[in-house]
Amino acid sequence: MVEAITATYVQEDADWAITVSGHGKELTARAPGIIAARDRADQLVEELGDGKATVVHLLNGSALDFTSAYMTARLTLPKLPPLEVPPPGSVPKQQTTEAAEKKPQLPPSKQLPKAVEDRKAPAEPAPAAESKAPAKQA
């Protein structure tokens, strides 16, 4: 009969204490969160030497409690600071000065080769327009 390996999790302040026991051995570790604790438990199971063993993860003596806490942590988005939306029509100063100084970059597929850029002549004034009336011939 295959002996199950038990991974027990206990929250201690912000950290988690992990105890993995099985095959007559017991290994302990700490991790900063439940996700990291679950990963560390997998490493401890590998150290026990049985990669094919069934591992039962327990929180407060319950596999359901562990699964609930673990999945909540995995599926919860990280807390981000709220976005600051400027009032309509206003542009932050650093965007206006940077935009005025910098030309937009073209994607590489739209850029001319350097040899072509070097051959470009500076803009010349347009030739003087000739009058529409034909010159009289003598």
Side-chain angles (χ1 to χ4, degrees), residues 18-103:
I18 312 120
T19 304
V20 175
S21 56
H23 304 300
K25 297 178 187 174
E26 186 172 282
L27 302 173
T28 59
R30 293 181 65 82
I34 194 162
I35 296 170
R38 171 66 166 79
D39 292 341
R40 185 67 180 117
D42 287 342
Q43 294 170 354
L44 294 174
V45 168
E46 287 178 17
E47 287 179 31
L48 287 178
D50 192 357
K52 296 182 182 181
T54 300
V55 181
V56 179
H57 299 270
L58 302 174
L59 174 62
N60 302 325
S62 169
L64 181 59
D65 285 353
F66 172 79
T67 302
S68 176
Y70 179 73
M71 292 308 294
T72 299
R74 292 290 287 189
L75 298 174
T76 302
L77 294 174
K79 291 183 182 181
L80 299 173
L83 276 177
E84 293 182 26
V85 179
S90 69
V91 179
K93 286 184 180 180
Q94 66 185 162
Q95 284 185 0
T96 55
T97 56
E98 288 176 6
E101 295 173 3
K102 201 161 85 170
K103 289 170 82 177

